[in-house]
Amino acid sequence: NAGGIAEMAELEPYVREKTDALDAAGNTTAAIGKGFAIGSAALVSLALFGAFVTRIRHSSNDELFQDGVNMLQPLTFAFLIIGGMIPFAFAAMTMKSVGVAAMQMVLEVQRQFDEKP
């Protein structure tokens, strides 16, 4: 980031040395932050799954999941896979909508440049 700016601005080599250290610190900080995010997401998903099983057991007067959850049962496994795919589906829809909106902005800017060069 900073190193690229310094290089494009054709600054002295000593500036590039300083910015490389800043870039390395920034990259390390970003990697640590991503690790915390992944760890907390895994913990939250485990807690939500436990809460779901507890709620189902309570609502069914301990008729369902009384021996716990067996992930080898085909129906349970299938719904675990579907549940795991839902965040990716929403992420894909979000990315697609951002791409469509960005393209509309590009077309609008192009239209304005064509009207008033």
Side-chain angles (χ1 to χ4, degrees):
N1 294 336
I5 293 170
E7 188 174 328
M8 288 188 288
E10 297 178 358
L11 298 177
E12 299 296 322
Y14 76 89
V15 175
R16 182 60 199 248
E17 291 173 15
K18 303 263 187 204
T19 58
D20 285 348
L22 290 172
D23 285 347
N27 292 338
T28 302
T29 304
I32 291 170
K34 288 176 186 177
F36 278 118
I38 291 169
S40 65
L43 187 61
V44 167
S45 66
L46 183 63
L48 284 173
F49 187 69
F52 169 74
V53 170
T54 302
R55 181 73 175 137
I56 292 296
R57 285 184 63 187
H58 180 71
S59 296
S60 69
N61 294 325
D62 286 333
E63 290 181 22
L64 296 173
F65 301 132
Q66 53 187 315
D67 296 328
V69 177
N70 184 0
M71 291 190 200
L72 297 178
Q73 291 179 340
L75 189 62
T76 305
F77 187 72
F79 279 106
L80 281 173
I81 290 175
I82 291 170
M85 291 181 344
I86 288 174
F88 294 104
F90 279 109
M93 288 187 283
T94 302
M95 286 185 269
K96 183 172 177 144
S97 65
V98 168
V100 168
M103 187 53 139
Q104 288 176 348
M105 284 177 50
V106 167
L107 293 175
E108 177 60 21
V109 169
Q110 183 179 16
R111 182 191 67 77
Q112 290 179 15
F113 273 118
D114 289 343
E115 284 182 5
K116 298 179 184 177

